[in-house]
Amino acid sequence: GAGVSQSPSNKVTEKGKDVELRCDPISGHTALYWYRQSLGQGLEFLIYFQGNSAPDKSGLPSDRFSAERTGGSVSTLTIQRTQQEDSAVYLCASSLSTPYGSSGNTIYFGEGSWLTVV
Amino acid sequence: AQSVTQLDSHVSVSEGTPVLLRCNYSSSYSPSLFWYVQHPNKGLQLLLKYTSAATLVKGINGFEAEFKKSETSFHLTKPSAHMSDAAEYFCVVTLSGTYKYIFGTGTRLKVLA
């Protein structure tokens, strides 16, 4: 696609329910990132994918959070047993990648998935 | 280790006056540096980036930034603020050979009529 696409754009869920957030990166971008942005806060790194592999999951807040990527394209971030503190904007980004990493390459962001846990 | 510090969490300017958003970085090697803008309820949009070419980088919407190695700074400027510039601005540093993009905490720009 022309840009990074995220769905749903808004999600209100009850505490304890599971949610899935989807990211469709720019075609040909092998690197994919998930970030979380809480109200009035900066960006918190969650996970990085290179192709279908996730060499860095260090930012996932707890074992309730998981993510996968299939076909080197679409990624899904799953939050199980949601808590109120999970309420935030979840941003996905993608970039081209070189043998030396993605640095210097622009990362392109989606519009975000706004999650509210009530 | 890399890090980035945005020195002001909030900046207010009057419409038509210059904008200065400050960013200092820490990096052992030559970094790549970016400025992103986030308008309310939107994703992040690239304003400009520095990747060891010209030290003065021009971006979209009249913004520019100068890479100063001696000062480890990458401040964002614009000669004349417009109401539509009101947004949150993020300075980002990354290091050659890695995938990590380190974000600053953001500067919220307010433009007064």
Side-chain angles (χ1 to χ4, degrees), chain B residues 69-89:
Chain B
K69 187 175 181 179
S70 60
E71 298 176 10
T72 61
S73 69
F74 190 58
H75 301 334
L76 182 70
T77 61
K78 182 173 180 177
S80 176
H82 191 273
M83 296 298 289
S84 61
D85 295 328
E88 184 109 27
Y89 293 79

Side-chain angles (χ1 to χ4, degrees), chain A residues 2 12 43 52 113-114:
Chain A
V12 180
L43 271 71
N52 292 335
S113 289
W114 298 69

Side-chain angles (χ1 to χ4, degrees), chain A residues 33 35 37 40-43 45 48 55-56 58 91 95 100-112 114, chain B residues 32 34 36 38 40-46 49 51 88 90 92 94-101 103-105 108:
Chain A
Y33 304 79
Y35 292 88
Q37 187 177 31
Q41 302 297 309
L43 271 71
F45 167 80
Y48 160 68
D56 188 350
S58 63
L91 291 164
S95 74
Y100 306 103
S102 297
S103 64
N105 293 318
T106 300
I107 46 173
Y108 295 88
F109 284 85
E111 295 276 294
W114 298 69
Chain B
S32 294
F34 306 77
Y36 282 83
Q38 185 179 33
N41 303 323
K42 294 289 187 182
L44 277 73
Q45 180 186 17
L46 178 71
K49 73 175 185 180
T51 54
E88 184 109 27
F90 292 93
V92 184
T94 185
L95 181 63
S96 177
T98 77
Y99 60 87
K100 280 191 179 282
Y101 292 79
F103 285 78
T105 52
R108 186 168 296 276

